[in-house]
Amino acid sequence: NPPLRLLFAHRRDKKNIGDWACTPKWYFDLFKQPSIQMDHQDLGYCPGQRRILKVAHTYDGIVIGGGGLLQCSHFWDGTLSLLAHHPGAVLWAVGLNRVLVQ
Protein backbone atom coordinates (compact mmCIF):
# COMPACT_ATOMS: atom_id res chain seq x y z
CA ASN A 1 0.00 0.00 0.00
CA PRO A 2 1.28 3.46 -0.82
CA PRO A 3 1.66 5.85 2.13
CA LEU A 4 -1.18 8.22 2.88
CA ARG A 5 -0.88 11.65 1.36
CA LEU A 6 -1.22 13.90 4.39
CA LEU A 7 -1.43 17.66 4.68
CA PHE A 8 -0.59 19.28 8.01
CA ALA A 9 -1.84 22.82 8.54
CA HIS A 10 -0.47 24.48 11.63
CA ARG A 11 1.32 27.65 12.66
CA ARG A 12 4.87 27.26 11.43
CA ASP A 13 6.30 30.30 13.18
CA LYS A 14 8.75 29.20 15.88
CA LYS A 15 8.12 32.51 17.68
CA ASN A 16 4.63 31.15 18.38
CA ILE A 17 5.97 27.99 19.98
CA GLY A 18 2.67 26.72 21.39
CA ASP A 19 0.96 26.53 18.01
CA TRP A 20 4.15 25.39 16.24
CA ALA A 21 4.71 22.51 18.64
CA CYS A 22 1.19 21.17 18.93
CA THR A 23 0.92 19.49 15.54
CA PRO A 24 0.98 15.68 15.81
CA LYS A 25 3.50 15.62 12.94
CA TRP A 26 6.36 16.02 15.44
CA TYR A 27 5.30 13.23 17.83
CA PHE A 28 4.03 10.12 16.05
CA ASP A 29 6.04 7.74 13.85
CA LEU A 30 3.06 7.35 11.53
CA PHE A 31 3.55 10.99 10.52
CA LYS A 32 7.32 10.83 9.99
CA GLN A 33 6.72 9.99 6.35
CA PRO A 34 7.12 12.82 3.85
CA SER A 35 4.10 15.07 3.91
CA ILE A 36 3.14 18.59 3.07
CA GLN A 37 3.02 21.28 5.71
CA MET A 38 1.23 24.58 5.29
CA ASP A 39 1.07 27.45 7.67
CA HIS A 40 -2.44 27.80 8.99
CA GLN A 41 -2.44 31.24 7.42
CA ASP A 42 -2.77 29.39 4.11
CA LEU A 43 -6.22 28.46 5.36
CA GLY A 44 -7.01 32.08 4.71
CA TYR A 45 -8.28 35.20 6.35
CA CYS A 46 -9.50 36.49 3.00
CA PRO A 47 -10.57 34.70 -0.22
CA GLY A 48 -7.19 35.21 -1.91
CA GLN A 49 -5.46 33.28 0.87
CA ARG A 50 -7.62 30.16 0.72
CA ARG A 51 -4.80 28.24 -0.95
CA ILE A 52 -5.47 25.14 1.12
CA LEU A 53 -9.02 24.82 -0.23
CA LYS A 54 -7.61 24.61 -3.74
CA VAL A 55 -5.44 21.59 -2.90
CA ALA A 56 -7.31 19.83 -0.06
CA HIS A 57 -9.13 17.38 -2.32
CA THR A 58 -5.80 15.92 -3.51
CA TYR A 59 -4.88 14.62 -0.02
CA ASP A 60 -6.05 11.50 1.82
CA GLY A 61 -6.05 13.37 5.11
CA ILE A 62 -5.78 16.88 6.49
CA VAL A 63 -4.63 17.50 10.05
CA ILE A 64 -5.42 21.04 11.17
CA GLY A 65 -4.07 22.46 14.38
CA GLY A 66 -3.55 22.97 17.02
CA GLY A 67 -3.92 26.26 18.72
CA GLY A 68 -6.61 28.87 19.10
CA LEU A 69 -8.35 28.33 15.80
CA LEU A 70 -12.03 28.63 16.74
CA GLN A 71 -13.80 31.99 16.87
CA CYS A 72 -10.85 33.83 15.38
CA SER A 73 -13.13 35.33 12.72
CA HIS A 74 -16.31 34.40 10.86
CA PHE A 75 -14.29 33.91 7.68
CA TRP A 76 -11.79 31.67 9.44
CA ASP A 77 -14.55 29.59 11.07
CA GLY A 78 -16.18 29.24 7.65
CA THR A 79 -12.94 27.96 6.14
CA LEU A 80 -12.54 25.42 8.95
CA SER A 81 -16.13 24.32 8.40
CA LEU A 82 -15.44 23.69 4.71
CA LEU A 83 -12.30 21.70 5.50
CA ALA A 84 -14.11 19.66 8.15
CA HIS A 85 -16.22 18.17 5.37
CA HIS A 86 -13.13 16.54 3.85
CA PRO A 87 -13.51 12.79 4.55
CA GLY A 88 -10.05 12.65 6.13
CA ALA A 89 -10.15 15.89 8.14
CA VAL A 90 -8.90 16.00 11.72
CA LEU A 91 -8.94 19.08 13.93
CA TRP A 92 -6.10 18.47 16.38
CA ALA A 93 -5.85 20.25 19.77
CA VAL A 94 -8.09 23.06 18.60
CA GLY A 95 -9.06 25.75 21.08
CA LEU A 96 -10.82 29.09 21.23
CA ASN A 97 -9.08 32.25 20.11
CA ARG A 98 -10.84 34.62 22.48
CA VAL A 99 -11.56 35.13 26.12
CA LEU A 100 -15.14 34.28 27.00
CA VAL A 101 -16.73 36.88 29.25
CA GLN A 102 -19.52 35.82 31.57
Side-chain angles (χ1 to χ4, degrees):
N1 291 337
L4 292 175
R5 286 186 30 86
L6 299 176
L7 172 65
F8 290 87
H10 63 99
R11 191 71 177 111
R12 297 183 63 210
D13 179 358
K14 290 184 181 180
K15 293 177 188 170
N16 183 342
I17 196 66
D19 288 356
W20 182 84
C22 64
T23 178
K25 170 120 179 100
W26 311 132
Y27 304 103
F28 297 97
D29 289 339
L30 172 68
F31 302 138
K32 299 294 185 205
Q33 66 188 1
S35 60
I36 300 298
Q37 290 181 269
M38 293 180 133
D39 193 287
H40 77 247
Q41 296 208 19
D42 291 321
L43 293 168
Y45 290 101
C46 66
Q49 291 179 325
R50 282 189 163 180
R51 185 167 71 110
I52 197 170
L53 291 178
K54 295 175 184 172
V55 300
H57 69 280
T58 66
Y59 291 90
D60 299 314
I62 303 171
V63 182
I64 304 161
L69 301 179
L70 302 175
Q71 296 185 342
C72 181
S73 72
H74 292 297
F75 185 83
W76 176 252
D77 285 349
T79 302
L80 288 175
S81 178
L82 291 170
L83 288 171
H85 285 87
H86 185 286
V90 174
L91 298 177
W92 180 272
V94 173
L96 297 177
N97 194 350
R98 62 194 301 170
V99 176
L100 299 178
V101 178
Q102 297 203 26

